[in-house]
């Protein structure tokens, strides 16, 4: 924590690692929380919940002098890939996936009384687009929308059981009629339009959560927001204008 700002950690697989690319949701959050919170990226392409559990103590050490105020977690897309005949690959059976996600949540909740957690469930897929974009260096990867829904529903149910906040991406994405063509770059990873849905849903959770302190961006103080004679001079020429809270640069007026 630099200068006392709260720390938000984004933890997950490629949907997290890529979240600062191509108008991604991580970059959008970093902009929304500029001068309010530090957004840290801990994304690992291809990972499943087994690999996540292997590094929990390294990524989130319990003895760290600074603990995150918020951790946003996404795993499940790789776990849901069909099992490979060799026994290799990222597939994790759904019962084990649920147990692994429970362990991840328990570890994060143990970091501090003020550490809050939001899980993101599996989004849907454009199966046809994904088939045409998968690299030929890989063995056949079997991903289906039906399986994504099973893992998404399992994540949502676990969060209800553990009283955790969750964004149900499988349903949220499909509220948009053109989701299959608008929300993905390759049928799996998120376009800017898909990322905007993630941001909207996360902000909705943060706004509605009964947390003390509130972590919604409008509730957090802006760092060094006091008036200064070094600010830009007003049109009257006898005062300065404080731009600390300006959001006019944003394409989307986030709530």
């Amino acid at each position: 924590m630099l200068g006392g700002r709260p720390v938000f950690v984004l933890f997950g697989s490629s949907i997290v690692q890529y979240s600062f690319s191509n108008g991604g949701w991580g970059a959008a959050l970093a902009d929304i929380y500029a001068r309010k919170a530090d957004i840290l990226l801990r994304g690992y392409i291809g990972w499943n919940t087994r690999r996540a559990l292997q590094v929990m103590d390294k990524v989130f050490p319990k003895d760290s002098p600074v603990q995150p105020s918020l951790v946003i977690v996404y795993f499940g897309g790789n776990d849901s890939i069909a099992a490979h005949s060799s026994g290799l690959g990222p597939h994790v059976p759904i019962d084990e996936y649920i147990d692994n996600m429970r362990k991840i949540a328990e570890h994060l909740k143990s970091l501090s009384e003020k550490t809050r957690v939001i899980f993101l469930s599996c989004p849907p897929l454009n199966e046809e687009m994904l088939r045409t974009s998968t690299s030929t260096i890989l063995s056949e990867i079997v991903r289906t929308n039906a399986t994504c829904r099973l893992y998404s529903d399992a994540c949502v149910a676990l969060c209800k059981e553990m009283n955790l906040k969750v964004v149900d991406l499988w349903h949220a994405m499909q509220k948009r009629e053109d989701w299959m063509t608008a929300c993905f770059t390759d049928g799996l990873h998120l376009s800017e339009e898909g990322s905007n849905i993630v941001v909207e849903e996360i902000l909705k959770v943060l706004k509605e959560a009964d947390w003390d302190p509130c972590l919604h961006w409008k509730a957090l103080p802006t760092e060094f927001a006091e008036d200064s004679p070094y600010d830009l001079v007003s049109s009257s020429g006898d005062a300065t204008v404080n731009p600390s809270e300006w959001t006019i640069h944003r394409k989307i007026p986030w709530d």
Side-chain angles (χ1 to χ4, degrees):
M1 183 184 299
L2 298 177
R5 293 185 191 181
V7 174
F8 295 0
V9 182
L10 314 182
F11 179 53
S13 54
S14 56
I15 283 179
V16 174
Q17 181 173 328
Y18 293 172
S19 69
F20 275 70
S21 298
N22 305 316
W25 59 275
L29 287 176
D31 174 60
I32 292 167
Y33 280 89
R35 297 175 63 174
K36 293 175 178 288
D38 291 329
I39 310 295
L40 302 184
L41 184 64
R42 296 294 182 268
Y44 306 92
I45 182 173
W47 279 33
N48 59 15
T49 52
R50 288 175 181 169
R51 294 196 73 179
L53 283 176
Q54 290 174 352
V55 302
M56 288 302 294
D57 287 322
K58 294 180 180 178
V59 178
F60 300 100
K62 293 186 178 183
D63 60 353
S64 175
V66 176
Q67 294 295 354
S69 296
L70 175 67
V71 184
I72 300 176
V73 180
Y74 170 74
F75 287 103
N78 296 311
D79 299 67
S80 71
I81 293 173
H84 192 271
S85 58
S86 66
L88 300 171
H91 172 71
V92 174
I94 194 165
D95 288 343
E96 183 187 344
Y97 166 74
I98 295 168
D99 189 49
N100 291 347
M101 291 292 276
R102 179 181 286 108
K103 291 174 181 175
I104 290 170
E106 289 171 345
H107 182 97
L108 295 174
K109 290 173 70 175
S110 74
L111 296 178
S112 80
E113 292 183 358
K114 294 296 185 180
T115 296
R116 311 302 184 185
V117 180
I118 300 174
F119 276 5
L120 309 179
S121 79
C122 285
L125 300 171
N126 181 328
E127 295 180 28
E128 182 178 354
M129 185 187 295
L130 186 60
R131 276 193 294 271
T132 61
S133 65
T134 301
S135 173
T136 56
I137 69 170
L138 299 174
S139 177
E140 181 184 10
I141 299 173
V142 180
R143 298 180 187 261
T144 69
N145 239 340
T147 306
C148 284
R149 181 173 188 175
L150 290 176
Y151 281 70
S152 175
D153 288 348
C155 178
V156 172
L158 174 66
C159 290
K160 183 176 181 180
E161 173 195 324
M162 298 187 71
N163 195 29
L164 290 173
K165 301 299 183 183
V166 62
V167 172
D168 182 348
L169 287 180
W170 201 88
H171 287 95
M173 292 281 182
Q174 295 182 77
K175 291 177 182 177
R176 179 166 173 159
E177 289 187 4
D178 62 347
W179 67 270
M180 290 189 71
T181 54
C183 291
F184 307 105
T185 59
D186 56 6
L188 169 66
H189 299 107
L190 303 180
S191 65
E192 184 172 356
E193 294 298 318
S195 280
N196 287 342
I197 295 172
V198 179
V199 175
E200 182 179 2
E201 294 296 322
I202 289 172
L203 292 180
K204 188 184 304 180
V205 169
L206 291 171
K207 187 174 185 178
E208 296 175 356
D210 185 21
W211 289 341
D212 182 19
C214 177
L215 297 178
H216 187 261
W217 69 277
K218 291 183 178 180
L220 294 178
T222 299
E223 189 176 51
F224 306 131
E226 63 275 4
D227 294 338
S228 169
Y230 304 119
D231 285 334
L232 299 171
V233 179
S234 69
S235 58
S236 67
D238 59 1
T240 57
V241 177
N242 187 337
S244 299
E245 305 291 349
W246 287 2
T247 59
I248 56 176
H249 66 286
R250 293 179 186 157
K251 290 190 296 183
I252 299 175
W254 297 108
D255 187 21

